[in-house]
Amino acid sequence: MNFNVIDIKQWPRKPYFEHYTSVHECTYSMTLNVDVSLLLQSLRTRGLKFYPAFIYMVTRVVNERVEFRTSYHPKPLLGYWDSMTPSYTYFHHDDQTFSCVWTEFSDDFSRFHNRYEQDMERYRDVKGIFVKENPPPNTFFISMIPWASFSGFNLNMTNGNTDFRPIITGGKFAEQGGRMLLPIALQVHHAVCDGYHASLFFQDLQTLADSCNEWL
């Protein structure tokens, strides 16, 4: 969990960073459908749930690009983490609230899945927003809205936003032309991430979904 400080004076993104943090502060979201037909079939064959696989794929993609790993630690030190840790929501059916848990990540899906199952076994019935103690500073946030197959989703930040970590939200599967599509919204800060990088996020995510039999 190493944090690499950025020398802003020598940073190629310096004019963009300054513009989108001081002149026109700007976050934005992009929502695309990802084809998860093969992934769902492969998970079903193995008796595995979708959500931990979704968290795994998203975290792998986030960890592949420095734009998604950039943050303050602490402010005003700007830099990027060697890797990020997923913090994800889960739903309480009895009172319709949610809680957040973080799980130590591993590129090995089986190892990550075991850690996920251990965390859910311990915390699934614990109420509150953040229920697992000592979240590391390199966490980022993942959630799902499985009741709606949305075409757009945006979190409206108030009182200024200098949190550069991405936020990823999945929706409800929708069948289209024999394919199972999952709407996914990516929210990022324009100071550290442009539309090009957001587009690569979805391309990389689709590649992982298509190659699921190589990592499941």
Side-chain angles (χ1 to χ4, degrees):
M1 193 178 65
N2 187 45
F3 185 75
N4 307 276
V5 176
I6 294 173
D7 181 355
I8 296 181
K9 293 181 180 179
Q10 303 298 322
W11 193 28
R13 284 200 65 86
K14 179 178 182 289
Y16 308 94
F17 179 82
E18 292 178 342
H19 180 78
Y20 289 118
T21 54
S22 58
V23 181
H24 293 294
E25 187 174 340
C26 177
T27 65
Y28 68 94
S29 63
M30 181 182 293
T31 302
L32 273 75
N33 288 324
V34 173
D35 187 344
V36 293
S37 306
L38 178 60
L39 176 62
L40 289 174
Q41 180 182 353
S42 298
L43 290 170
R44 193 175 302 114
T45 299
R46 293 169 172 79
L48 297 172
K49 296 179 180 178
F50 176 78
Y51 196 32
F54 174 68
I55 297 169
Y56 171 84
M57 290 194 306
V58 166
T59 307
R60 269 194 55 176
V61 172
V62 164
N63 283 337
E64 286 172 2
R65 302 197 181 277
V66 68
E67 291 79 15
F68 304 126
R69 294 183 275 116
T70 303
S71 69
Y72 285 123
H73 180 65
K75 194 174 181 179
L77 286 180
L78 180 71
Y80 58 92
W81 298 99
D82 284 344
S83 63
M84 300 290 280
T85 298
S87 177
Y88 50 91
T89 61
Y90 61 94
F91 188 67
H92 299 291
H93 291 275
D94 57 346
D95 62 1
Q96 293 81 55
T97 61
F98 70 90
S99 297
C100 297
V101 164
W102 62 272
T103 295
E104 182 182 354
F105 187 69
S106 172
D107 283 335
D108 183 297
F109 175 70
S110 296
R111 186 173 301 173
F112 172 74
H113 189 273
N114 289 337
R115 293 171 181 169
Y116 168 88
E117 290 290 342
Q118 291 170 7
D119 281 332
M120 291 307 299
E121 178 66 24
R122 180 175 179 181
Y123 295 104
R124 65 164 43 96
D125 294 324
V126 181
K127 301 296 179 65
I129 298 181
F130 302 105
V131 297
K132 185 177 179 181
E133 61 279 0
N134 301 319
N138 63 328
T139 55
F140 74 103
F141 300 105
I142 301 171
S143 64
M144 289 210 70
I145 306 176
W147 310 277
S149 185
F150 53 72
S151 57
F153 179 82
N154 185 66
L155 293 167
N156 299 306
M157 306 296 185
T158 60
N159 299 323
N161 177 32
T162 54
D163 190 342
F164 305 127
R165 296 171 296 176
I167 302 174
I168 294 92
T169 307
K172 181 181 179 180
F173 304 113
E175 184 175 359
Q176 188 176 104
R179 300 181 302 156
M180 293 301 293
L181 303 180
L182 177 72
I184 299 174
L186 169 70
Q187 182 142 329
V188 291
H189 202 298
H190 211 340
V192 298
C193 185
D194 300 327
Y196 170 74
H197 308 109
S199 299
L200 291 177
F201 172 88
F202 289 102
Q203 293 177 25
D204 292 345
L205 201 60
Q206 185 64 68
T207 297
L208 270 181
D210 292 341
S211 63
C212 59
N213 288 319
E214 298 176 10
W215 52 264
L216 280 176

